[in-house]
């Protein structure tokens, strides 16, 4: 029984490290898209993907250091990412972010 | 000049703004023994209001939320200072905080601390400052 628990813990640790490495590779590829992206919309979409990958990394790190305090951080990154992407999209579309009168 | 159609954005905003405000209240109340507190709660509330401003425009939000955010700054500072002044009533040094256990009707026994009132002041001040900065920058044309 004890051996099984130890094996499970080791399995979780190894798979989490593999996932962190995979997400890091994904972040590097997204960074290339941010740098050489031909248009600004490409950069906006790549930044969105970077934010989602950061959420994943925060969750995986909270598995490595065994804690639940990072759950708020994951939600916070998601919310700020949504608002930031919305602001970029609105600026690219209309030129203003908060407009005076919409109708 | 074409008329923009923001149906998806507006519907999403009316759902997500509630989640953001609820999360802000959670962060404010959970600040005592987990990450969070007045500062992050105020910033979350400000981001919810900014989201509403972005999707509905300045006139509509000013109609449903008739608050001059500049007046929130002195109100919050007054709350924070008055929690410090209140400690003089009980003959203890400035900004001494205390706590007690109370039995509320629905929640049962809870621990209420006066540091919460100070956090409320921080919350209101941060909300006022952030919204004042953003709306002042957005206004010039």
């Amino acid at each position: 029984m004890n051996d099984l628990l130890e094996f499970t813990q080791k399995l979780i640790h190894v798979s989490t490290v593999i996932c962190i490495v995979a997400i890091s590779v994904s972040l590097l590829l997204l960074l290339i898209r941010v740098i050489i992206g031909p248009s600004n919309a490409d950069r906006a979409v790549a930044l969105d993907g970077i934010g989602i990958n950061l959420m994943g990394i925060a969750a995986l790190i909270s598995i490595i250091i065994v804690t639940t305090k990072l759950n708020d951080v994951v939600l916070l990154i998601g919310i700020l990412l949504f608002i930031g992407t919305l602001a970029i999209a609105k600026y690219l579309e209309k030129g203003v972010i908060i407009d005076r009168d919409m109708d | 000049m074409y008329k923009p159609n923001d149906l998806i954005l507006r519907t999403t905003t009316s759902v997500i703004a509630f989640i953001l405000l609820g999360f802000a209240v959670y962060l404010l109340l959970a600040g005592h023994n987990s990450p969070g507190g007045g500062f992050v709660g105020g910033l979350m509330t400000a981001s919810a209001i900014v989201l509403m401003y972005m999707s509905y425009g300045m006139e509509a939000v000013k109609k449903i939320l008739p608050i001059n955010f500049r007046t929130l700054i002195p109100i919050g500072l007054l709350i924070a200072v008055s929690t410090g002044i209140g400690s003089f009533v009980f003959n203890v040094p400035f900004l001494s905080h205390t706590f007690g256990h109370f039995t509320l009707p629905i929640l049962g026994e809870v621990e209420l601390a006066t540091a919460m009132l100070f956090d409320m002041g921080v919350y209101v001040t941060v909300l006022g400052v952030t919204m004042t900065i953003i709306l002042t920058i957005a206004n010039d044309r």
Side-chain angles (χ1 to χ4, degrees), chain A residues 69 72 75-76 79-80 82-83 86-87 90 93-94 96-103, chain B residues 2 4 6 9-10 16 20 23 26 33 35 44 47 51 54-59 139:
Chain A
K69 305 286 186 196
D72 290 344
L75 197 50
L76 210 65
I79 289 167
L80 294 182
F82 174 68
I83 293 173
L86 202 62
K90 197 157 179 199
E93 175 79 11
K94 284 187 177 175
V96 290
I97 293 177
I98 298 177
D99 37 14
R100 199 170 296 264
D101 199 4
M102 298 209 65
D103 302 316
Chain B
Y2 72 103
D6 291 344
L9 175 61
R10 289 186 176 198
I16 285 182
L20 258 63
F23 185 54
Y26 164 72
N33 32 22
M44 265 295 101
S47 64
L51 180 64
M54 279 198 294
S55 55
Y56 284 100
M58 201 164 266
E59 294 294 325
N139 249 333

Side-chain angles (χ1 to χ4, degrees), chain A residues 6-82:
Chain A
E6 239 169 56
F7 173 71
T8 314
Q9 205 160 14
K10 189 161 272 183
L11 193 66
I12 287 175
H13 192 265
V14 167
S15 56
T16 311
V17 169
I18 291 173
C19 288
I20 287 179
V21 170
I23 288 189
S24 306
V25 173
S26 156
L27 273 173
L28 281 179
L29 296 176
L30 280 166
L31 209 60
I32 292 172
R33 178 50 71 189
V34 169
I35 292 169
I36 66 163
S39 68
N40 277 334
D42 289 334
R43 294 193 176 93
V45 173
L47 280 175
D48 201 54
I50 281 179
I52 292 170
N53 281 324
L54 280 181
M55 286 168 69
I57 278 200
L60 288 172
I61 295 263
S62 79
I63 294 175
I64 288 268
I65 51 170
V66 185
T67 176
T68 57
K69 305 286 186 196
L70 281 177
N71 294 353
D72 290 344
V73 177
V74 175
L75 197 50
L76 210 65
I77 294 174
I79 289 167
L80 294 182
L81 179 71
F82 174 68

